[in-house]
Amino acid sequence: MGSLPHVVEDCFGLLKLYSDGSISRNPEVPCPTPLLDDDSVLYKDLLFDANRNLHLRLYKPSSSTSLEKLPILFYFHGGGFCFGSRTFPHFHNLCVRLTTAFNMLVVAPDHRLAPEHRLPAASDDACLALKWLQGQAAMHGKNVEDVDTWLTGVDFDRVFVLGDSSGGNLAHHLAVKLKAGSMELAPVRVRGYVLVAPFFGGSVRTKSELEQPCEEFWNLEMYDRFWRLSIPVGSTLDDPLVNPFGPCSQNLAEVPLDPILVVVGGGEILRDRLEGYATRLKQLGKKVEFVEVEGQQHGFFTDHPFSDVAEKVIQRIGDFILDNSN
């Protein structure tokens, strides 16, 4: 008789991958943060892809009217591609903060999760979310019932993408796929991308990965575990989905990119990798800004969106949005 399936990967007891390929998930939401629900923001959920049963959450300032030309901000959550949903309290609270801070319509899509759906599933779903917006824009003003009323009056020509951690990875790949001007999304126009501590990797370790392999919560082994669970079976940390400048990655010198803002905590394991990412893009002539937040560790922005430190980041993002809105 063969042996019983045994656990080969265990993420905090919430996700277990077994030797026979089966997967178990604990339905508990791994973030005990209280859900913020005040009168400053209205929100609702919509289905944006029926085939994959994917939903998104729309946020708008409660003071807005249908006549306002609200810009649009897409927010792609983190979770190592293995966890996360628009319903998680800390993601929701950050979206509330972003909505009020920028007076924008915020769109927070879900994506399929690994290891049930390995990359590039999440990246494909991120693109589908923007295609959904394109569909809404194309029907705008045609009295079509499928157009959501909350999109009346929004400015489809001023769209920004913000991704945190693995969501920052998704934002990078959207920027590369859509290229400068995002012509394939017309009449939607993406103006810029904000990557907050984007989740990248590589087979060659950086100095900060070698010298600071642990933060208060995160460590390098955790990152490697998320990659093992999310990349295609048999792939490596130099997969183009992991390493934007790996040996098999696309030559970004030939890709026109919209402006990119990279934000990283100075105390993050990935700090040097992300500075290197921004530096390489600058060397290729891309419009890139790199902001290091002294002493902060991974997740500082999402986990504490109302902190003084997060406020400084929000101000910097606001400047980026303003600078690239015309």
Side-chain angles (χ1 to χ4, degrees), residues 81-299:
F81 303 110
C82 297
F83 295 99
S85 161
R86 72 200 184 282
T87 63
F88 276 26
H90 57 318
F91 298 148
H92 170 86
N93 293 348
L94 176 59
C95 287
V96 169
R97 182 71 186 97
L98 296 173
T99 304
T100 57
F102 304 136
N103 195 37
M104 300 175 80
L105 180 83
V106 173
V107 185
D110 282 347
H111 60 72
R112 288 170 293 169
L113 300 176
E116 296 92 332
H117 305 282
R118 291 175 176 267
L119 290 169
S123 188
D124 292 342
D125 295 346
C127 190
L128 281 174
L130 283 164
K131 289 287 188 179
W132 168 83
L133 184 68
Q134 181 186 35
Q136 295 284 304
M139 294 185 290
H140 200 257
K142 296 182 180 179
N143 197 29
V144 179
E145 292 183 359
D146 289 338
V147 178
D148 190 87
T149 56
W150 279 27
L151 297 175
T152 301
V154 298
D155 192 346
F156 293 107
D157 190 58
R158 284 193 297 155
V159 177
F160 290 84
V161 174
L162 188 156
D164 181 35
S165 192
S166 57
N169 178 297
L170 297 180
H172 161 80
H173 288 290
L174 281 171
V176 173
K177 176 179 175 57
L178 297 175
K179 302 179 176 63
S182 49
M183 296 301 295
E184 70 175 75
L185 285 181
V188 170
R189 168 69 190 277
V190 179
R191 297 283 180 167
Y193 298 82
V194 180
L195 282 56
V196 179
F199 185 31
F200 296 139
S203 61
V204 178
R205 301 296 195 188
T206 65
K207 182 179 179 181
S208 62
E209 289 168 350
L210 291 171
E211 295 183 356
Q212 187 179 314
C214 294
E215 300 177 29
E216 183 176 347
F217 179 78
W218 294 101
N219 60 55
L220 195 56
E221 194 283 326
M222 289 180 183
Y223 286 146
D224 288 347
R225 186 188 311 152
F226 277 120
W227 285 127
R228 290 194 300 270
L229 287 166
S230 61
I231 61 177
V233 175
S235 192
T236 71
L237 290 179
D238 283 327
D239 188 295
L241 296 164
V242 180
N243 187 351
F245 290 104
C248 301
S249 298
Q250 182 178 0
N251 182 3
L252 297 183
E254 304 171 355
V255 181
L257 298 175
D258 282 312
I260 295 175
L261 171 65
V262 181
V263 180
V264 63
E268 294 203 40
I269 295 167
L270 298 179
R271 185 252 174 234
D272 289 355
R273 183 171 297 279
L274 304 186
E275 183 182 35
Y277 165 81
T279 299
R280 291 283 296 274
L281 288 181
K282 287 181 181 179
Q283 292 171 344
L284 295 176
K286 314 305 180 185
K287 186 178 179 181
V288 180
E289 300 174 54
F290 177 77
V291 174
E292 178 180 344
V293 185
E294 184 178 357
Q296 296 303 306
Q297 298 186 351
H298 197 71

